[in-house]
Amino acid sequence: TRTGYLWNTLYGWVDTGSGGLAPSSVAAGLQPISHHVAHPDTKRRLHELVVASGLIEHLHELSASPASRADVLRVHDAAHVDRIIAEGAQPKGGDAGDGVSPFGQGGDAIAFLAAGGAIEATRAVVSGEVDRAYALINPPGHHAERALGRGFCIFNNTAVAAAYALEELGLERVAIVDWDVHHGNGAQDIFWESPQVLNISLHQNRCFPSDSGFRDENGGGEGAGRSVNIPLPPGGGNAVYEYALEQVVIPALEAFEPQLILVPCGFDAAIMDPLARMMVRADGFRRLTRLITDAAERICDGRIVFLQEGGYSPYYVPCCGLGVIEELAGVTTGIADAYEPIVGAMGGDELLAHEREAVDAAGALLPGIT
Ligand SMILES: O=C(CCC1CCCC1)NO
Ligand SMILES: [Zn+2]
């Protein structure tokens, strides 16, 4: 199998400012700090591990070019795009829209490059140039709605890629399987009424946004039944994610028969992540990758594109990402998860009753998908 890989130095230049999460503030007692939780170093470290491990030699490197304005306008309002460009023109940049998603001067250009990276990886897979691809893009996108950037997301990279595949590559059915630990509200908002996009999100219940991602949010109009939410109780690890894929995600994909699967892949469901309370380990992400790529082989000639979303542990994101990309490439570099001796015994490997119930409840709503 030929596995595409995409990174760009500018993805490591996203300037997340001097705040930890919210901007620093004397009045609020928020000291400046060297690294914002979403500091790009975390993703750059994953890229460096892909190179230093030698895995890069087994990958087909893809090159991003900026998405065009038209590419982004397929899924975002012009007012949002224009506001991002205006914010990016300011000497110290601006914010995606919710006040806790800062970016520096020219951050708009990097956001266009992230969306362009998603398009390029999708083009390469659909054209058959590569069999599958991993786009290590930044800034992330899955919280960005049609008219608003939020949750560190500026443009919805995955939605841009899906719309490009439908409108420019002639596809008719695209599935999104978002396993970032936070709700994929952006694609749900953008494709709410679209029967051509099956949007599936697994996420820690109420983690972020705290008011969306509930099981009964299933799409509207022509898109009824095309939105699947699997809210999970905090503390879930490898077992509940595997169970959710086997019991809900893969059956939904088999019913919908997409021609392409896009995976907004965040590593913030990992056991060492600061922005959620789940317990997935690197070996768990590896198994999820095997499960969904096997499903892609059965359903859509293996056409699957992974698009980087969240993941905030500079220690553990590289381990998780290496596991996923090794699995995609069918290569083992021999570099094991160095944290396994510490985190391996903490649990998450047995499916607990309340976890099974949460997944089964989401699965009970599946019949609406055809
Ligand atoms: O990783 C993320 C960002 C979540 C944070 C955004 C503000 C507080 C939680 N979304 O996928
Ligand atoms: Zn996230």
Side-chain angles (χ1 to χ4, degrees), residues 142-143 180-182 268 310-312:
H142 80 141
H143 292 310
D180 182 288
V181 77
H182 304 104
D268 37 15
Y312 304 97

Side-chain angles (χ1 to χ4, degrees), residues 249-270:
V249 175
I250 290 167
L253 293 172
E254 287 168 343
F256 181 63
E257 294 183 328
Q259 298 156 295
L260 169 70
I261 299 172
L262 301 176
V263 180
C265 176
F267 295 119
D268 37 15

Side-chain angles (χ1 to χ4, degrees), residues 224-353:
R226 289 288 194 275
S227 176
V228 178
N229 283 295
I230 308 170
L232 299 171
N238 294 359
V240 68
Y241 273 85
E242 282 180 47
Y243 184 69
L245 251 66
E246 290 166 345
Q247 297 298 318
V248 183
V249 175
I250 290 167
L253 293 172
E254 287 168 343
F256 181 63
E257 294 183 328
Q259 298 156 295
L260 169 70
I261 299 172
L262 301 176
V263 180
C265 176
F267 295 119
D268 37 15
I271 191 164
M272 290 180 70
D273 202 275
L275 285 188
R277 290 293 166 272
M278 303 305 269
M279 297 177 69
V280 181
R281 299 190 308 271
D283 61 337
F285 282 111
R286 200 185 282 266
R287 263 202 294 282
L288 298 183
T289 303
R290 168 51 66 91
L291 283 171
I292 199 160
T293 50
D294 285 353
E297 292 297 327
R298 293 194 309 271
I299 297 167
C300 51
D301 294 328
R303 281 190 295 272
I304 191 164
V305 181
F306 287 66
L307 300 163
Q308 189 62 49
E309 288 290 345
Y312 304 97
S313 170
Y315 317 102
Y316 206 45
V317 161
C319 304
C320 297
L322 188 74
V324 168
I325 301 169
E326 278 192 357
E327 183 59 44
L328 287 177
V331 165
T332 48
T333 62
I335 290 183
D337 169 6
Y339 295 87
E340 182 67 16
I342 306 289
V343 299
M346 292 183 184
D349 298 292
E350 285 85 39
L351 185 66
L352 304 180

Side-chain angles (χ1 to χ4, degrees), residues 24-354:
S24 68
S25 157
V26 173
L30 286 170
Q31 301 172 37
I33 192 166
S34 67
H35 278 50
H36 183 278
V37 285
H39 193 285
D41 275 358
T42 298
K43 293 166 187 175
R44 191 173 47 70
R45 289 163 60 86
L46 169 50
H47 170 67
E48 290 186 358
L49 184 57
V50 168
V51 174
S53 66
L55 181 54
I56 193 83
E57 312 305 331
H58 303 274
L59 302 171
H60 177 95
E61 286 191 74
L62 300 170
S63 173
S65 49
S68 69
R69 182 181 175 82
D71 289 331
V72 175
L73 286 178
R74 287 193 194 97
V75 298
H76 287 294
D77 296 347
H80 173 57
V81 177
D82 293 337
R83 200 184 66 74
I84 294 299
I85 292 169
E87 297 272 288
Q90 295 172 26
K92 296 185 70 100
D95 187 275
D98 62 359
V100 289
S101 305
F103 58 85
Q105 181 172 70
D108 55 317
I110 306 177
F112 276 103
L113 193 64
I119 287 175
E120 172 58 11
T122 300
R123 183 205 59 75
V125 166
V126 173
S127 71
E129 180 181 327
V130 296
D131 301 301
R132 54 200 38 192
Y134 196 98
L136 183 50
I137 54 180
N138 195 43
H142 80 141
H143 292 310
E145 300 172 355
R146 193 170 286 280
L148 176 73
R150 58 190 299 205
F152 312 150
C153 301
I154 296 171
F155 299 141
N156 197 308
N157 305 313
T158 300
V160 166
Y164 175 79
L166 292 168
E167 298 181 31
E168 298 302 316
L169 302 182
L171 298 195
E172 292 172 358
R173 291 182 311 287
V174 175
I176 295 169
V177 178
D178 182 334
W179 69 43
D180 182 288
V181 77
H182 304 104
H183 177 224
N185 62 290
Q188 179 173 298
D189 169 69
I190 290 164
F191 296 120
W192 184 254
E193 298 191 344
S194 168
Q196 296 184 296
V197 178
L198 170 63
N199 189 59
I200 303 173
S201 177
L202 304 98
H203 44 273
Q204 179 185 325
N205 188 35
R206 303 184 66 94
C207 189
F208 183 85
S210 61
D211 60 351
S212 72
F214 302 116
R215 269 195 300 277
D216 61 358
E217 295 165 17
N218 301 125
E222 295 283 294
R226 289 288 194 275
S227 176
V228 178
N229 283 295
I230 308 170
L232 299 171
N238 294 359
V240 68
Y241 273 85
E242 282 180 47
Y243 184 69
L245 251 66
E246 290 166 345
Q247 297 298 318
V248 183
V249 175
I250 290 167
L253 293 172
E254 287 168 343
F256 181 63
E257 294 183 328
Q259 298 156 295
L260 169 70
I261 299 172
L262 301 176
V263 180
C265 176
F267 295 119
D268 37 15
I271 191 164
M272 290 180 70
D273 202 275
L275 285 188
R277 290 293 166 272
M278 303 305 269
M279 297 177 69
V280 181
R281 299 190 308 271
D283 61 337
F285 282 111
R286 200 185 282 266
R287 263 202 294 282
L288 298 183
T289 303
R290 168 51 66 91
L291 283 171
I292 199 160
T293 50
D294 285 353
E297 292 297 327
R298 293 194 309 271
I299 297 167
C300 51
D301 294 328
R303 281 190 295 272
I304 191 164
V305 181
F306 287 66
L307 300 163
Q308 189 62 49
E309 288 290 345
Y312 304 97
S313 170
Y315 317 102
Y316 206 45
V317 161
C319 304
C320 297
L322 188 74
V324 168
I325 301 169
E326 278 192 357
E327 183 59 44
L328 287 177
V331 165
T332 48
T333 62
I335 290 183
D337 169 6
Y339 295 87
E340 182 67 16
I342 306 289
V343 299
M346 292 183 184
D349 298 292
E350 285 85 39
L351 185 66
L352 304 180
H354 68 296

